[in-house]
């Protein structure tokens, strides 16, 4: 059975994966909250999401925005999604001995469902890579292997007429990712640190 990430693993600090990297958009109110979770805090290290397949349902690219982190203001890609599916989810936060790694049970799908205004979640990503395998029934780009950054946004994503759609990437990596207004469920979650063995929920 899938278990909500916040409820099953927050006691061992897993909230770091999606809450600490990019605390809030520049100019937003202090103390922004994710659902009923504690206020977002400054970044303590990079957060990287990897998945064999990443599906962003009801996705809309909202442009490049400035966000505040513990290391200062940075530029990030902003997306809103109704839900996100990650097959073989692998999350890493931090560096060296302070790094934490969360993995789902092999061959399972972790799901983030929007719970914010309009039932959407908001994602902030510094870099998104992978192979585009689906654009909601639309034509695929000629170069399907992409590396999307604030300085390299492909036309198929940035075009002003691009509608809300499902975007599917194979072999996806999202670097320095955080989200607001959603709830993540994982099957068979396993948490590891460099100093301790795995913890299962």
């Amino acid at each position: 059975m899938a278990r909500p990430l916040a409820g099953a693993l927050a006691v061992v600090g897993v909230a770091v994966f999606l809450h600490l990297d990019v605390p809030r958009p520049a100019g937003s109110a202090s103390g922004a909250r994710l659902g009923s979770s504690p206020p977002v805090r400054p970044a303590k290290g990079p957060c990287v999401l990897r998945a064999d397949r990443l599906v962003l349902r009801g996705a809309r690219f909202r442009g490049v925005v400035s966000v505040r982190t513990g290391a200062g203001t940075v530029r990030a890609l902003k997306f809103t999604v109704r839900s996100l599916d990650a097959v073989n989810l692998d999350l890493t936060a931090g560096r060296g001995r302070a790094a934490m790694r969360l993995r789902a049970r092999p061959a399972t799908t972790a799901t983030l469902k929007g719970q914010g205004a309009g039932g959407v979640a908001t994602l902030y990503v510094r870099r998104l890579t992978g192979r585009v395998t689906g654009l909601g029934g639309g034509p695929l780009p000629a170069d399907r292997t992409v590396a999307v950054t604030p300085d390299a946004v492909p036309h198929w994503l940035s075009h002003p007429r691009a509608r809300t759609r499902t975007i599917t990437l194979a072999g996806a990596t999202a670097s320095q990712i955080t989200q607001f207004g959603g709830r993540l469920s994982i099957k068979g979650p396993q948490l590891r640190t460099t100093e301790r063995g795995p913890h299962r929920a």
Side-chain angles (χ1 to χ4, degrees):
M1 178 181 296
R3 303 184 183 183
L5 177 64
L9 294 178
V11 292
V12 288
V14 179
V16 67
F17 289 109
L18 294 180
H19 306 320
L20 296 189
D21 190 59
V22 183
R24 57 183 178 270
S28 67
S30 177
R33 292 179 178 271
L34 171 64
S36 59
S37 301
V40 177
R41 285 170 277 180
K44 292 189 176 180
C47 182
V48 179
L49 179 154
R50 296 180 178 86
D52 289 349
R53 186 163 63 100
L54 190 66
V55 184
L56 291 78
R57 304 184 189 279
R60 184 180 289 274
F61 177 60
R62 301 291 183 175
V64 176
V65 298
S66 295
V67 294
R68 287 195 290 269
T69 74
T73 300
V74 298
R75 298 166 69 231
L77 307 161
K78 179 180 179 180
F79 296 87
T80 54
V81 298
R82 287 198 306 271
S83 66
L84 178 152
D85 291 339
V87 178
N88 288 332
L89 176 71
D90 186 343
L91 281 167
T92 303
R95 294 188 181 94
R97 296 177 65 85
M100 301 175 70
R101 186 177 186 185
L102 175 69
R103 303 185 73 177
R105 187 167 65 231
T108 63
T109 301
T111 301
L112 173 73
K113 292 186 177 180
Q115 293 185 318
V120 299
T122 301
L123 308 176
Y124 297 93
V125 184
R126 295 288 308 282
R127 180 180 174 88
L128 179 65
T129 64
R131 180 175 174 79
V132 180
T133 59
L135 288 176
L140 296 176
D143 187 356
R144 299 184 189 180
T145 300
V146 298
V148 186
T149 70
D151 295 317
V153 179
H155 180 72
W156 58 263
L157 183 61
S158 63
H159 193 283
R161 293 185 180 179
R163 64 191 185 281
T164 299
R165 58 188 170 180
T166 296
I167 300 173
T168 304
L169 297 170
T173 299
S175 300
Q176 296 192 1
I177 181 173
T178 195
Q179 48 85 203
F180 294 90
R183 188 173 182 84
L184 179 65
S185 295
I186 300 177
K187 296 178 180 179
Q190 185 178 82
L191 176 70
R192 289 181 179 272
T193 68
T194 55
E195 297 180 348
R196 298 179 180 179
H199 299 269
R200 299 195 71 87

